[in-house]
Amino acid sequence: MATPSTTAPAPPGRRRSVTGTRRSVAVLFLLPALVLLGALVVYPIGYSLIRSFYNANGDGFAGFDNYKAIFTDDSIRTAVKNNVIWVVFAPTVSTALGLIFAVLTERVRWGTAFKLVVFMPMAISMLAAGIIFRLVYDQDPNKGVANAVWVGIHDTFAQSSAFPNAHPGRESPLRPDQGGFITTATVHTGQTVTLPLVGVAPDQMPDGARKAVAAKSDPGKITGTTWQDFTRGKGVGKLGAPDPSELGYDGMRIEAVKNGEVVASTKAAADGTFTLPAAADGAQLRLPASNFKQPYNGVDWLGPTLVTPAVIGSYVWMWAGFAMVLIAAGLAGVPRELLEAARVDGASEWQVFRKVTVPLLAPVLAVVTVTLMINVLKVFDLVYIIAPGSSQDDANVLALELYRKGFSEGQPGIASAIAVFLLLLVIPVMWFNVRRLRREERR
C-alpha cells in the first residue's frame, strides 16, 4: 500500500516555480537585472523613438520629417549606400577567409600557431586597429606598408623616369610638346645637335651618368648631346655647351619626328651623346614625355574612390580570425567517417569540401555571417579613424552619421531617427538568428 505524500500543496497565493523557488523570491533576484535592462536598453530605445519625432530644439513636433531626411539628405544616403556595401562584402569575405583558414590549418603542422596569429588582431581595440591601418594606407611609400609593397611591384615592371623635373633652360632650342619637348628647328645629316636641360639635382642623376662630352659630327648621320646644363656665370661654365662638371642624361630617349610620325629613335649614352641614322634628316628631335614621367607614388588608398574598400580590408583583418575560430570549432564536430567515405567513393578534395564539409558547416557559417552582419551595421571606430577628413564623407556609414548629426551638427532629432532606423535594420537579422537557434534546440 502506497504511503500518502506528506507535502501539502502550496496555497494559491504562494505559488512556487518548477525549481521549488517562490515566484516572489525569483522576481526579487531578477529585479536588479530588470532595472539595469530598463535603464540601459528599454529607456534609451523609447526616448530615441520619441525624440525622433521632434525638431532640433526638442520643443516642436516634426512628425516624419526626420525620417524623410534619411532618404533625402545626401550625406545620409551616402551612409546608407556604404552600409549596404559593408553588409554585403565585409561578413562574406570574413566568413569565406575564416572557412578557408579553418580547413587549411587542419592540414598544416603548425596549425595552432597559425590560428593564434590570425586570431591575434581580435585582441586589438578598434581604435588601435584604426591607427595601425591609417599608417598602413599612408600615401608616402616610405611610411605606408601597402604603398611600399605596391610601388615595389610596380617599379619591377615599369621603372619610373630618372628625370621627372628636367626642363629646358634659358636660350634653349627646345619647346614643350605633348608632355615632352621638341626642337624648334629641323635637323640634317652631318649636323651636331645640343639638347641641354636643367632641373635635376646632381645627386638625383642616374648612377651610370658620366661627364657630358660634345658629340663628334658624322657626315651620314645626326649626332648630338643631351645633358644637365646647370653651370652659370662668368668663369663657372659656358651656357649651351657641355662643361667638365656637367653630367650627361644617361638613357634619355630621343625621337626623330616628321609630319607627326617617329621615323627614328635612340637612347643617349652615359655621357649624353646620341646618334640617329640618315632617316632622321629633315626631322625635328623630340624628347618624349616618357623621359619625364613622375615617380610612381602608389595608390591613393584613402581617396574618395578606394576609402570604403580600404576600411573594409582593415575590418576583415580583425574579424577573419573570429570567423576562423568558430568555424574550426564546428569543423571539429564534423564526423570524419563521412569525409573518408566521400574520398573512398572517388570524390576529389574540392568535391569533399564543397559537397560534404560546407553543407555540414552551414549552421556554423550562418551564425558567423549573421553575427558579423549585426556587428557591421554598428561599425563606427574604423571609419572615423582611418578615413581622413577629405574623404570621410565618401566613407560615411550610418553609425558615423548618427554621431555627426547628434554631436557635430546639432540635429538630435535626425540622429534619433537614424538610431531607430538602425534598430529596424538589426531586428530582422536578430529574428532570423533567434529562429535558427530555436530550430537547432528542437533537433
Side-chain angles (χ1 to χ4, degrees):
M1 183 175 179
T3 305
S5 175
T6 58
T7 304
R14 299 177 61 186
R15 299 182 62 184
R16 296 175 180 268
S17 67
V18 292
T19 59
T21 307
R22 292 178 183 176
R23 295 287 179 88
S24 57
V25 176
V27 171
L28 186 63
F29 275 100
L30 290 173
L31 187 60
L34 293 174
V35 171
L36 287 175
L37 184 67
L40 300 179
V41 178
V42 178
Y43 173 74
I45 292 175
Y47 181 79
S48 297
L49 181 61
I50 295 172
R51 188 66 181 81
S52 66
F53 291 102
Y54 284 82
N55 59 16
N57 297 324
D59 55 4
F61 187 73
F64 288 95
D65 290 346
N66 293 327
Y67 290 94
K68 290 179 182 177
I70 295 177
F71 303 99
T72 56
D73 187 282
D74 289 338
S75 61
I76 302 179
R77 289 168 62 184
T78 301
V80 172
K81 180 194 72 174
N82 287 335
N83 262 101
V84 172
I85 296 173
W86 272 87
V87 169
V88 171
F89 290 100
T92 305
V93 175
S94 299
T95 305
L97 284 178
L99 175 62
I100 293 170
F101 291 155
V103 172
L104 293 182
T105 49
E106 281 201 329
R107 300 168 178 268
V108 179
R109 183 177 180 183
W110 300 100
T112 303
F114 179 81
K115 288 179 182 178
L116 179 63
V117 172
V118 175
F119 186 75
M120 196 175 295
M122 280 295 298
I124 303 175
S125 67
M126 288 280 196
L127 173 64
I131 294 173
I132 290 171
F133 274 87
R134 182 68 180 267
L135 296 174
V136 167
Y137 291 133
D138 196 287
Q139 180 68 36
D140 186 354
N142 295 320
K143 297 179 182 178
V145 176
N147 269 335
V149 175
W150 195 262
V151 169
I153 296 173
H154 175 274
D155 288 351
T156 301
F157 300 99
Q159 192 69 25
S160 299
S161 169
F163 321 110
N165 299 315
H167 60 276
R170 58 194 176 96
E171 301 179 19
S172 174
L174 297 167
R175 61 177 174 82
D177 177 74
Q178 300 178 10
F181 306 101
I182 193 168
T183 57
T184 54
T186 57
V187 297
H188 300 280
T189 54
Q191 182 179 351
T192 300
V193 184
T194 56
L195 302 177
L197 295 170
V198 296
V200 181
D203 60 347
Q204 295 179 352
M205 292 289 286
D207 294 336
R210 298 291 181 265
K211 291 182 179 180
V213 298
K216 296 179 180 179
S217 62
D218 188 324
K221 298 179 181 180
I222 297 170
T223 58
T225 305
T226 178
W227 79 101
Q228 174 70 2
D229 188 23
F230 68 90
T231 51
R232 295 287 183 272
K234 185 177 180 181
V236 179
K238 187 177 180 181
L239 182 65
D243 297 318
S245 59
E246 297 171 342
L247 298 175
Y249 279 125
D250 181 22
M252 178 74 74
R253 185 173 182 81
I254 301 100
E255 298 175 344
V257 181
K258 284 184 181 179
N259 301 321
E261 295 184 1
V262 178
V263 295
S265 65
T266 187
K267 284 188 177 181
D271 57 5
T273 59
F274 61 88
T275 303
L276 288 166
D281 184 62
Q284 292 176 281
L285 300 190
R286 181 173 66 188
L287 304 178
S290 59
N291 290 315
F292 314 103
K293 184 170 58 177
Q294 291 292 329
Y296 182 66
N297 289 322
V299 178
D300 188 10
W301 297 105
L302 300 182
T305 304
L306 295 176
V307 63
T308 295
V311 180
I312 290 176
S314 66
Y315 178 90
V316 171
W317 175 77
M318 288 191 69
W319 287 89
F322 167 81
M324 178 196 66
V325 170
L326 291 187
I327 294 170
L331 191 61
V334 172
R336 301 298 162 179
E337 56 270 17
L338 294 179
L339 304 179
E340 294 301 327
R343 294 188 181 100
V344 170
D345 289 341
S348 64
E349 289 300 323
W350 169 245
Q351 290 174 323
V352 171
F353 172 76
R354 185 167 56 92
K355 296 185 177 181
V356 180
T357 304
V358 172
L360 291 174
L361 288 175
V364 179
L365 296 177
V367 170
V368 174
T369 305
V370 170
T371 303
L372 292 180
M373 287 175 66
I374 296 173
N375 184 268
V376 156
L377 286 171
K378 302 181 295 181
V379 70
F380 165 81
D381 319 58
L382 291 176
V383 180
Y384 183 74
I385 297 166
I386 296 177
S390 58
S391 58
Q392 198 170 88
D393 288 341
D394 300 282
N396 200 11
V397 290
L398 285 172
L400 177 59
E401 185 63 18
L402 187 156
Y403 168 81
R404 292 168 68 174
K405 292 294 185 189
F407 297 97
S408 300
E409 301 178 17
Q411 301 184 53
I414 295 179
S416 299
I418 296 174
V420 174
F421 181 64
L422 268 175
L423 177 64
L424 294 176
L425 292 178
V426 171
I427 286 176
V429 182
M430 293 181 64
W431 176 76
F432 170 80
N433 208 21
V434 170
R435 284 196 61 188
R436 191 202 57 76
L437 290 173
R438 286 180 177 174
R439 285 199 302 268
E440 290 294 322
E441 290 176 357
R442 287 197 291 265
R443 289 181 180 178

